[in-house]
Amino acid sequence: MRTTTLIVLTVALSLLNIGCDSTSSRDAVFYNNRGLDYYDQGELNKAIADLTKAISLDPQLDAAYNNRGLAYTDQGELDKAIVDYNKAISLDPQLAMAYNNRGLAYYNQGELNKALVDYNKAISLDPQLDAAYNNRGLAYTDQGELDKAIVDYNKAISLDPQLAMAYNNRGLAYYHQGELDKAIVEFTKSIGFDAQLALAYYNRGFVFEELGNKVNAEVDYAKAKELGMDLE
């Protein structure tokens, strides 16, 4: 009925929401920002339409390419997303978030080495970008380099002590190291910072089940299902 491993990982995404005083770009900025609003609401087609309009009005608006890439990523159109991130980077080679987001697209394609190159670049450009450390940690986890992953999650958490996803992901690393009690602690911290994070309940329930604590496991599975997670 339930899966037999911890399969859910989370990645922090970065968005650029910009303002502009220039009348020539004001309409493009409006469509960019409204596109972000649609993106936040899960209206991906509307977001893409607005971001495409922003680009047509101002083809030099790197933020719009970056943001449209995020929408394409969420739609699973990773090749289109990478094209947009490439364009954003060509317009602003210092745009750390675009490297982070392109790394995420490569990660989702299974291109871990390419993802790591982009995360490294993002971190070199912006050492305070907690998302990039979190995401690089995921790539290290998938490569089995768990100590490196934990170092990155530690850094992400030091930059944002309330980054629930980083606690969840550090819990996964501890789980794979056989540190089940530490994993439980991390998933509990993750839930403490984001009580709506269904996968953290699922992951904690899974570890409870491995520890033989079926009562707590069922409670966590039920909560994950209540929050919309498909456990079948």
Side-chain angles (χ1 to χ4, degrees):
M1 180 176 68
R2 282 184 280 270
T3 56
T4 58
T5 187
L6 299 182
I7 60 171
V8 183
L9 298 176
T10 60
V11 178
L13 294 176
S14 302
L15 289 171
L16 294 176
N17 196 339
I18 62 174
C20 183
D21 294 326
S22 170
T23 55
S24 63
S25 297
R26 192 168 298 153
D27 286 346
V29 170
F30 167 79
Y31 282 105
N32 175 77
N33 291 345
R34 192 174 72 174
L36 288 182
D37 288 338
Y38 283 135
Y39 177 84
D40 289 339
Q41 294 167 9
E43 298 273 5
L44 297 182
N45 289 331
K46 288 183 179 180
I48 288 170
D50 267 3
L51 294 165
T52 300
K53 179 67 173 178
I55 289 166
S56 72
L57 291 168
D58 184 356
Q60 304 303 306
L61 192 59
D62 52 85
Y65 291 101
N66 177 76
N67 296 336
R68 191 173 67 176
L70 290 177
Y72 281 141
T73 296
D74 281 11
Q75 286 190 331
E77 299 195 67
L78 299 176
D79 288 336
K80 286 185 177 180
I82 289 169
V83 169
D84 271 353
Y85 297 138
N86 289 346
K87 182 63 175 179
I89 289 166
S90 73
L91 291 169
D92 182 359
Q94 304 300 308
L95 192 59
M97 285 183 281
Y99 287 101
N100 172 74
N101 294 338
R102 189 174 68 179
L104 172 59
Y106 284 137
Y107 175 84
N108 287 333
Q109 288 183 328
E111 299 273 7
L112 298 184
N113 289 331
K114 287 184 177 180
L116 284 169
V117 168
D118 271 355
Y119 295 145
N120 289 341
K121 182 65 173 180
I123 289 167
S124 72
L125 291 170
D126 184 357
Q128 304 303 306
L129 192 60
D130 52 86
Y133 292 100
N134 177 74
N135 296 343
R136 191 173 67 177
L138 289 175
Y140 282 142
T141 297
D142 281 10
Q143 288 188 331
E145 298 195 68
L146 298 176
D147 289 336
K148 285 185 177 181
I150 290 169
V151 168
D152 270 353
Y153 298 138
N154 291 347
K155 181 63 175 180
I157 289 167
S158 74
L159 291 169
D160 182 357
Q162 298 187 39
L163 189 60
M165 290 179 283
Y167 290 102
N168 174 78
N169 295 337
R170 191 166 66 180
L172 289 173
Y174 284 138
Y175 169 81
H176 288 303
Q177 287 184 328
E179 300 273 8
L180 301 191
D181 290 335
K182 284 186 178 181
I184 291 285
V185 170
E186 295 301 309
F187 296 138
T188 301
K189 287 179 180 177
S190 180
I191 291 165
F193 288 116
D194 185 355
Q196 303 303 305
L197 195 58
L199 63 90
Y201 289 100
Y202 170 80
N203 289 342
R204 189 174 67 177
F206 184 92
V207 178
F208 274 138
E209 189 169 16
E210 285 210 357
L211 289 169
N213 191 336
K214 295 187 180 298
V215 172
N216 282 349
E218 289 303 321
V219 170
D220 275 350
Y221 287 144
K223 184 63 176 180
K225 186 173 183 179
E226 175 190 323
L227 291 171
M229 194 167 183
D230 184 6
L231 302 184
E232 298 302 323

